Amino acid sequence: MLPATSERQQKATVRPSRTSRTEHLLEMSRAALQVSLLLLAALGSAGAANDQEHGGEETPHSPEKGPGHSHWSYEELQHWGMDYPFCADTMQSPINIDTAKTIFSPQLRPIQLSGYSLPANERLKLRNNGHTVVLQLPESLALTGGYAQQYRAVQLHLHWGSPSGPGSEHTVNGHRFAAEIHVVHYNTKYSNFKEAMVHPDGLAVLGAFLEVGPRENPYYQEILEHLYKIEGEDKEVLVPGFNIAGLLPANLKHYFHYNGSLTTPPCYQTVKWTVFNQTMLLSPEQMSMLENSLRNDNGNPLQNNYRPAQDLHGRRVLASFQTTLMSTKQLPPGSESAVAGEGHSTSSFHAGDVLAVLFGVLFAITALAFLLYIYKHRSQNTRLDSPTKSKVIYTAASTENTA
Ligand SMILES: *[C@@H]1O[C@H](CO)[C@@H](O)[C@H](O)[C@H]1NC(C)=O
Ligand SMILES: *[C@@H]1O[C@H](CO)[C@@H](O)[C@H](O)[C@H]1NC(C)=O
């Protein structure tokens, strides 16, 4: 009916089918939601913006040194800064990730793991170092995507709580998860881990949260089943190789990224952190094995080996995906893993999508009513105008690259 249409749609070779129109509408709805939520966020957080960004008073740097012993413990967290000055500096880890304050950065590509699948005849050293359990990794494991430079794996270790409380290091919107895995890598432009760990771009650590789920996780079992052999500090055992990638989420696209530090002394501020949005699930028995198998140097149970969240001191936290303003912190832990499969929690994206569509439709109806109103108003004044010849063209505001 409109001859002009085909000319205007030069780029689209085929008229949009009904389904692709629906898809388009969904896209627009999502965009509309994002705009609305951004506005709401701007209004809502205007007052509270300052507290995390410019963390009030500075942590005083204590001038006098401590006893100088190189020993540290999680019972004496507040002393770390005396023996290891970096621990009191301003780019420390872990942090609380406030998802509403993260910056969406589309240029953050999916993390790519190479050489992570190890044959069973390759033996790996598993060690209780008195602070955690460490699995030494061969240098064949590498990060080949998601970071601008190449990084090689060195070791992985875990942080956990106790039967009476969770023990992840990072928290998300104030929520502490049951446990956390860290896979430590060093930049291949340095000759080894020791040299790399003192340079600002030296280390890359992948972090993922562990939660309790219904099934046994076969990958974590490859570590947990050996813990009883290394109960005491400095004990070690050789374990068969397995697919190390199975210890990390299947979804390597959705993560948070920030500049931080080692979470134990000497707290070097040389870590480019990746914290995955998808969580890993362990059975209740497995979580209990993690929490109850090891002892520290005092012979006490090795538990609660996590450092609390450190001040951001104005640092930015990037997100590789668009976080909605929906907060899951009010939900009971585990309820977001209701749709877990294969030991992977796919968490909160579904609820977000439904809301997006809902808001989008509301937005569309409002827009339509507005357009209708304008049209009626116009046709009352100028009856000659063809209804299809509206001169007002509304386009969705671009929401790209709000970062
Ligand atoms: C991390 O530090 C590097 C080097 O100073 C900087 O280029 C980069 O933007 C920082 N990343 C973030 C997320 O702030
Ligand atoms: C994942 O991202 C969603 C959306 O921002 C957020 O609600 C949820 O808490 C995040 N979970 C983790 C483990 O990062």
Side-chain angles (χ1 to χ4, degrees):
M1 62 177 193
L2 278 180
T5 326
S6 53
E7 287 165 37
R8 275 211 239 117
Q9 295 188 331
Q10 272 176 330
K11 276 186 183 167
T13 47
V14 186
R15 280 267 187 86
S17 71
R18 179 162 273 170
T19 46
S20 71
R21 260 188 221 153
T22 315
E23 273 163 28
H24 191 61
L25 189 74
L26 288 185
E27 272 308 307
M28 300 253 298
S29 303
R30 287 188 67 92
L33 171 71
Q34 275 147 21
V35 170
S36 318
L37 289 183
L38 275 174
L39 285 173
L40 277 176
L43 288 172
S45 67
N50 280 335
D51 56 355
Q52 276 269 358
E53 298 271 59
H54 321 282
E57 54 263 273
E58 264 176 46
T59 321
H61 288 246
S62 178
E64 69 265 29
K65 288 273 169 198
H69 59 94
S70 67
H71 223 69
W72 58 269
S73 78
Y74 286 101
E75 284 85 54
E76 299 179 312
L77 282 156
Q78 65 283 0
H79 296 163
W80 288 9
M82 297 175 201
D83 296 329
Y84 309 93
F86 285 116
C87 298
D89 214 337
T90 55
M91 285 175 50
Q92 289 292 293
S93 294
I95 56 163
N96 173 50
I97 296 166
D98 184 342
T99 56
K101 288 182 186 162
T102 59
I103 301 160
F104 171 49
S105 306
Q107 71 273 15
L108 291 180
R109 305 315 304 156
I111 301 294
Q112 274 176 20
L113 312 173
S114 303
Y116 265 58
S117 189
L118 298 173
N121 63 11
E122 180 153 8
R123 302 279 148 165
L124 309 175
K125 195 163 80 183
L126 188 71
R127 179 164 183 264
N128 173 355
N129 69 5
H131 304 298
T132 184
V133 53
V134 183
L135 183 69
Q136 296 296 332
L137 297 172
E139 295 205 335
S140 52
L141 280 69
L143 294 183
T144 50
Y147 282 91
Q149 289 171 309
Q150 286 258 333
Y151 290 84
R152 260 186 219 123
V154 200
Q155 51 106 322
L156 64 81
H157 61 265
L158 298 156
H159 298 269
W160 59 88
S162 74
S164 52
S168 72
E169 295 216 291
H170 289 91
T171 53
V172 178
N173 299 326
H175 177 75
R176 191 177 304 286
F177 295 83
E180 185 169 335
I181 182 173
H182 291 158
V183 190
V184 182
H185 304 72
Y186 73 90
N187 196 327
T188 55
K189 80 190 223 193
Y190 304 109
S191 50
N192 55 48
F193 172 72
K194 244 189 122 168
E195 190 198 323
M197 77 190 294
V198 298
H199 290 94
D201 59 352
L203 305 180
V205 181
L206 306 181
F209 298 112
L210 315 189
E211 294 183 286
V212 171
R215 277 180 293 278
E216 177 173 305
N217 184 315
Y219 302 101
Y220 278 88
Q221 194 62 18
E222 300 279 350
I223 293 175
L224 298 171
E225 68 186 1
H226 302 288
L227 291 187
Y228 76 94
K229 301 173 206 166
I230 54 169
E231 184 187 5
E233 189 192 13
D234 286 334
K235 286 248 204 171
E236 57 186 54
V237 65
L238 290 178
V239 306
F242 59 100
N243 187 5
I244 307 294
L247 300 171
L248 291 172
N251 183 343
L252 300 175
K253 294 197 294 267
H254 293 159
Y255 58 84
F256 303 105
H257 180 80
Y258 77 98
N259 290 334
S261 74
L262 301 174
T263 64
T264 58
C267 306
Y268 292 143
Q269 302 189 135
T270 58
V271 180
K272 298 204 176 295
W273 276 95
T274 293
V275 178
F276 290 110
N277 184 237
Q278 195 178 39
T279 61
M280 304 300 302
L281 299 182
L282 268 58
S283 71
E285 294 76 25
Q286 288 184 305
M287 197 59 80
S288 166
M289 279 167 90
L290 178 61
E291 290 166 350
N292 295 311
S293 298
L294 303 183
R295 297 189 167 271
N296 64 19
D297 54 348
N298 299 322
N300 296 324
L302 177 38
Q303 293 175 335
N304 298 316
N305 56 350
Y306 65 91
R307 187 188 197 195
Q310 304 295 300
D311 202 301
L312 269 182
H313 289 288
R315 279 175 290 172
R316 299 175 310 151
V317 180
L318 310 182
S320 69
F321 63 106
Q322 276 174 305
T323 61
T324 67
L325 286 177
M326 269 192 52
S327 166
T328 54
K329 69 185 158 188
Q330 270 107 354
L331 298 177
S335 62
E336 66 179 87
S337 343
V339 280
E342 288 276 274
H344 290 129
S345 159
T346 47
S347 72
S348 41
F349 301 111
H350 306 293
D353 283 350
V354 171
L355 251 193
V357 171
L358 210 80
F359 273 81
V361 167
L362 279 177
F363 184 86
I365 289 171
T366 316
L368 208 71
F370 181 60
L371 282 174
L372 218 67
Y373 169 80
I374 289 193
Y375 164 63
K376 276 200 176 160
H377 192 74
R378 278 176 58 89
S379 56
Q380 272 171 4
N381 298 334
T382 56
R383 304 241 159 220
L384 292 176
D385 267 359
S386 143
T388 50
K389 240 178 86 184
S390 165
K391 278 166 193 147
V392 193
I393 297 171
Y394 293 87
T395 53
S398 168
T399 57
E400 279 175 54
N401 298 325
T402 44

